[in-house]
Amino acid sequence: MPKLEPYARSLSYSYALGLFPSLTLMDARPELALRLLLHPDGLGNEGVEKLRARCRELGVREEEAGRVLRRESKKDNCYAALVFEKREGDLDASKNHAVLCQISDGGNLGTALRSLLGFGYADVALIRPCVDAFDPHVVRASMGAFFRLRLRTFDSFAEYRALYPKRALFPFMLDGAKPLDEVAPGARTPFSLVFGNEQSGLPGEFQTYGQSVFIPQSDKIDSLNLAVAVSIGAYAFRQKEEN
């Protein structure tokens, strides 16, 4: 088997670090699994043995790779990981989307992906320039939610709009035209919730795209963390779907 390289965006594979992301991968997208990496200290652990059994069942090769696990996780207690093929998919045009524009922090992205899946959004568009969604630390921060999503990266928001033109758009902006709780109850599906970069937010031109919204907040802070804003927005529009 070829030597496993330190993770880089240019590689055709990535690492699902830890038991929970690895088990989720084997449950949701087992066809992507390439190799199971094991730390000798984890052998006999109940979760590790469950993962090993699942991999044997599906013919995924296992190998002892404590050094690789330490290198990729930056920890001494990462007992298992799966090497998986990097593969994006098409979004479902009939479903509601989340569009994350120029997100720069992997932890924010991973946490936002987990929240989106929790509130029923399985289709996520990423707009470049942005953090690498396949980075192992993004996958880890999502706690495996990454593998239950349809994810696609676009070079620009214009490219996304051209592919999905007939959608209600709701850009989240600090100077949005209407408060979230006024807009969410009347939203028509399918719609797209659009969020911007952690530091700069969405450019002013997004005021002209659909209905811009803001999340009411105290004047004691300048803005909400991206993952928090995504969670609040996704939850508010989720309530509309359930009512």
Side-chain angles (χ1 to χ4, degrees), residues 161-214:
R161 289 188 76 192
L163 195 58
Y164 304 100
K166 298 180 180 180
R167 308 180 64 81
L169 298 176
F170 297 98
F172 281 68
M173 309 177 73
L174 288 176
D175 57 352
K178 293 186 177 181
L180 174 62
D181 54 359
E182 181 179 320
V183 174
R188 62 179 177 84
T189 59
F191 56 73
S192 296
L193 307 182
V194 187
F195 300 88
N197 173 267
E198 297 95 329
Q199 301 298 321
S200 58
L202 293 170
E205 67 193 67
F206 277 78
Q207 290 281 10
T208 65
Y209 300 158
Q211 176 61 67
S212 65
V213 300
F214 67 91

Side-chain angles (χ1 to χ4, degrees), residues 49-66:
E49 295 307 317
K50 178 180 179 181
L51 179 60
R52 294 179 73 189
R54 179 65 170 152
C55 288
R56 284 195 297 269
E57 178 185 345
L58 296 179
V60 178
R61 179 181 183 272
E62 71 172 50
E63 60 190 77
E64 187 175 308

Side-chain angles (χ1 to χ4, degrees), residues 27 104 116 135 152 159 166 228:
D27 183 48
S104 61
L116 287 167
D135 187 290
R152 182 166 178 181
E159 181 186 3
K166 298 180 180 180
V228 172

